Amino acid sequence: AQSVAQPEDQVNVAEGNPLTVKCTYSVSGNPYLFWYVQYPNRGLQFLLKYITGDNLVKGSYGFEAEFNKSQTSFHLKKPSALVSDSALYFCAVRDTSGTYKYIFGTGTRLKVLA
Amino acid sequence: DTGVSQDPRHKITKRGQNVTFRCDPISEHNRLYWYRQTLGQGPEFLTYFQNEAQLEKSRLLSDRFSAERPKGSFSTLEIQRTEQGDSAMYLCASSPGQGLGNTIYFGEGSWLTVV
């Protein structure tokens, strides 16, 4: 079965420091991977995706993600965290087993401390 | 492009009542998805449509849940005889129909509280 795992419930980082939010995946076939961010009482906003090509994907708000096939990981990164980056982050994978549904991780709460 | 629109944003209902949520997808997106999210959890897939055809339903979708997309544009999600366990945010998303790696775009969600 296709799945993603976000091993950290919460990540704390000081403002201005680099941040990493981890995601590992399990798929059969080529992975189509996504990152979304959710602010309180809001829907999910798309940040970036990996379909094919360069392993480093750049997205919105200065975020980027590194695809690593050998480690089956797709970690979200940002060189310098802002307090306004504090939110809930979800990794997702598109099911490739014959459906078009997207499967989400359990989320990681990012807290950026001033 | 106005984004995915959901209505109502919040609904409080008594146990046993029926509720209906509406979703208007991004114009010309022919795939539409419904997800459910409870506090502290990731979105859980409920169902999706390709145009007006409902192509997949999760086992989470009990017989009390029904979704429609009659003309391939807006969609409704109805919950009959609501239970307290139905309290959650119901998220709608849409995507273009072509391509394997399409992004799905979410609405702001509809919060349901069953009292």
Side-chain angles (χ1 to χ4, degrees):
Chain A
Q2 331 274 326
S3 65
V4 290
Q6 295 183 242
E8 302 155 318
D9 289 337
Q10 181 158 320
V11 169
N12 295 329
V13 64
E15 187 175 29
N17 282 3
L19 69 87
T20 299
V21 182
K22 295 180 181 177
C23 172
T24 58
Y25 66 89
S26 173
V27 300
S28 53
N30 295 324
Y32 300 98
L33 298 159
F34 302 80
W35 276 103
Y36 287 82
V37 60
Q38 186 177 35
Y39 296 98
N41 300 315
R42 306 292 296 276
L44 279 70
Q45 294 179 33
F46 169 69
L47 282 177
L48 51 79
K49 66 181 178 182
Y50 173 83
I51 304 302
T52 186
D54 287 342
N55 290 340
L56 187 65
V57 179
K58 294 192 183 297
S60 306
Y61 313 120
F63 284 93
E64 56 192 28
E66 187 169 11
F67 172 70
N68 187 316
K69 189 172 183 178
S70 62
Q71 297 186 0
T72 62
S73 67
F74 188 54
H75 299 333
L76 182 70
K77 301 184 179 194
K78 188 173 183 182
S80 178
L82 299 172
V83 171
S84 57
D85 292 330
S86 299
L88 198 51
Y89 290 81
F90 291 98
C91 181
V93 64
R94 214 220 83 188
D95 194 330
T96 56
S97 63
T99 81
Y100 288 97
K101 69 184 181 193
Y102 294 70
I103 299 163
F104 286 81
T106 51
T108 299
R109 186 166 299 283
L110 174 67
K111 207 169 193 179
V112 181
L113 307 167
Chain B
D1 193 343
T2 57
V4 178
S5 177
Q6 292 189 245
D7 184 68
R9 290 292 316 282
H10 298 91
K11 179 74 176 179
I12 300 174
T13 191
K14 292 184 179 179
R15 190 175 53 182
Q17 298 293 305
N18 298 346
V19 296
T20 299
F21 299 111
R22 176 181 168 124
C23 172
D24 287 89
I26 294 171
S27 177
E28 298 181 357
H29 279 191
N30 56 17
R31 287 201 194 129
L32 186 147
Y33 299 79
W34 286 100
Y35 281 80
R36 180 170 68 188
Q37 186 181 22
T38 52
L39 277 174
Q41 299 296 316
E44 296 175 297
F45 171 78
L46 293 178
T47 188
Y48 87 92
F49 293 83
Q50 171 102 8
N51 299 313
E52 64 274 13
Q54 188 172 21
L55 295 186
E56 187 174 349
K57 286 169 40 170
S58 164
R59 283 169 290 181
L60 292 175
L61 216 62
S62 76
D63 291 344
R64 296 184 297 105
F65 288 70
S66 62
E68 293 183 341
R69 195 182 182 198
K71 295 182 181 178
S73 56
F74 73 92
S75 175
T76 57
L77 177 68
E78 181 183 20
I79 309 173
Q80 296 183 324
R81 304 181 304 282
T82 52
E83 301 172 357
Q84 286 188 323
D86 297 332
S87 296
M89 183 159 69
Y90 291 84
L91 291 160
C92 178
S94 70
S95 77
Q98 303 304 317
L100 294 173
N102 283 318
T103 301
I104 59 171
Y105 296 93
F106 284 87
E108 294 292 346
S110 291
W111 275 106
L112 174 64
T113 302
V114 181
V115 297

